[in-house]
Amino acid sequence: MFIAGVAGRLKPGIEMQYLPYPALTAHGSTEPTEASLAFGGWIEMLESNVWLDKSCCHYIDQYYRATGLAGLKWDNHQQPAMSWSR
C-alpha cells in the first residue's frame, strides 16, 4: 500500500497528510470508495504507530484486500507511476 500511495495509485477518501513521509499522501484525496477509505484507515494506523499484533495485522490485511491491490500487476501501470521506483 505504501508504494501504491507514493505512486498515486491509491489516495485516501478524505484529505490527509502523512508528515513522516509526505509523498505518501502528496497526490491528494479522492472520492470516498471502499479502496480509498481502506487506504485512509491504513494511513491512520501508521500515524498512530500501532503495535503489530495479531489484531492489527488482521486489519491491515482487510485494508489491503479492500484496496484491490492484490489483483494488479506492474504491467498494468502507466510509465510515470512506475518511474519513481527505478
Side-chain angles (χ1 to χ4, degrees), residues 1-2 5-6 10 12 18 21-27 39 42-43 46:
M1 288 185 285
F2 190 89
V6 172
L10 285 177
Y18 184 65
Y21 199 88
L24 182 61
T25 54
H27 296 280
F39 182 61
W42 177 74
I43 292 172
L46 283 178

Side-chain angles (χ1 to χ4, degrees), residues 3-80:
I3 293 170
V6 172
R9 172 62 179 86
L10 285 177
K11 298 175 187 176
I14 59 169
E15 191 64 38
M16 58 187 346
Q17 293 181 335
Y18 184 65
L19 296 179
Y21 199 88
L24 182 61
T25 54
H27 296 280
S29 61
T30 189
E31 61 197 47
T33 64
E34 183 180 10
S36 66
L37 294 174
F39 182 61
W42 177 74
I43 292 172
E44 289 174 351
M45 289 182 78
L46 283 178
E47 288 177 330
S48 299
N49 200 27
V50 298
W51 185 257
L52 292 178
D53 60 12
K54 188 174 182 176
S55 175
C56 285
C57 289
H58 172 75
Y59 280 111
I60 291 169
D61 180 57
Q62 293 300 314
Y63 288 149
Y64 176 75
R65 291 171 190 264
T67 64
L69 288 176
L72 297 179
K73 307 259 186 278
W74 274 109
D75 294 343
N76 297 342
H77 292 283
Q78 297 175 356
Q79 192 61 32

